Amino acid sequence: MVRRSYFNRTGIYRLYLQQTNGLFDLEPALTYMDREEPHSWLCWADLNRDGNVDLIKSVWLDEPSFLPGVPSGKVLVSTYIADPHDRIPDEPQQVFRKNDYMMALPVVDVDGDGFLDLVLGYSHIDSRESLTKAISAKKIDFSLRFYFYRPGRLSQRG
């Protein structure tokens, strides 16, 4: 995957496949153009095992939090499933929200079915009281949500 940034905050990503002789194709198998965002993370993976590279994009939302001057930990996670011609759609098929200040997220086969799943984190610090409680208890309440790939979509239930 090669990325080129342009002065107008646009990024072009090109995927070059490696041949069996170790060399890379001269023409990209996939080209994707996107607006660059300062706090974003892209994961290129074949989520649905159809042989086409799909895109998971996480963007940290620079929204205010309950503490003045500190941005919230909200992250928007969008999935884009490539069409049979390796084209990434303009709009995501699914959008999730998480709250853990991390743009990157685990994309692993949690349930062992051969499909990649998403693991999203959620911090339960959403008020001054919950922050005070976490500091005094010296622990953070945190939960994980697993989204399993099922034919056509990611869902919380297996």
Side-chain angles (χ1 to χ4, degrees):
M1 180 67 65
V2 177
R3 182 189 82 171
R4 174 172 272 177
S5 297
Y6 292 94
F7 66 92
N8 63 353
R9 294 182 40 107
T10 300
I12 295 182
Y13 300 84
R14 290 188 173 97
L15 173 67
Y16 295 90
L17 300 177
Q18 189 172 21
Q19 302 169 18
T20 56
N21 64 3
L23 300 175
F24 289 91
D25 288 337
L26 296 177
E27 294 298 318
L30 177 143
T31 300
Y32 175 72
M33 183 181 297
D34 193 23
R35 181 181 61 131
E36 289 186 349
E37 298 173 82
H39 302 289
S40 65
W41 175 82
L42 301 180
C43 173
W44 298 94
D46 185 3
L47 285 174
N48 57 355
R49 294 182 49 195
D50 65 352
N52 299 318
V53 178
D54 307 309
L55 171 62
I56 301 167
K57 181 179 180 181
S58 297
V59 178
W60 185 27
L61 303 175
D62 195 15
E63 297 176 351
S65 72
F66 61 92
L67 292 173
V70 177
S72 75
K74 295 176 183 161
V75 176
L76 202 61
V77 179
S78 305
T79 60
Y80 301 80
I81 305 298
D83 69 15
H85 303 287
D86 278 326
R87 291 182 301 233
I88 300 294
D90 293 332
E91 298 298 321
Q93 282 90 349
Q94 288 185 271
V95 178
F96 306 94
R97 286 179 73 95
K98 65 184 195 130
N99 188 22
D100 66 357
Y101 292 92
M102 299 295 296
M103 286 134 345
L105 60 123
V107 180
V108 295
D109 182 10
V110 176
D111 56 357
D113 66 355
F115 292 100
L116 295 175
D117 309 306
L118 299 182
V119 182
L120 304 184
Y122 294 87
S123 168
H124 300 286
I125 298 176
D126 55 3
S127 67
R128 290 175 195 236
E129 293 77 28
S130 60
L131 178 61
T132 303
K133 180 182 171 185
I135 292 171
S136 63
K138 297 182 182 175
K139 67 177 187 175
I140 295 176
D141 288 330
F142 193 81
S143 63
L144 297 176
R145 291 186 193 157
F146 299 88
Y147 289 86
F148 301 100
Y149 187 83
R150 296 295 176 254
R153 64 184 298 108
L154 289 153
S155 65
Q156 260 193 298
R157 296 194 179 162

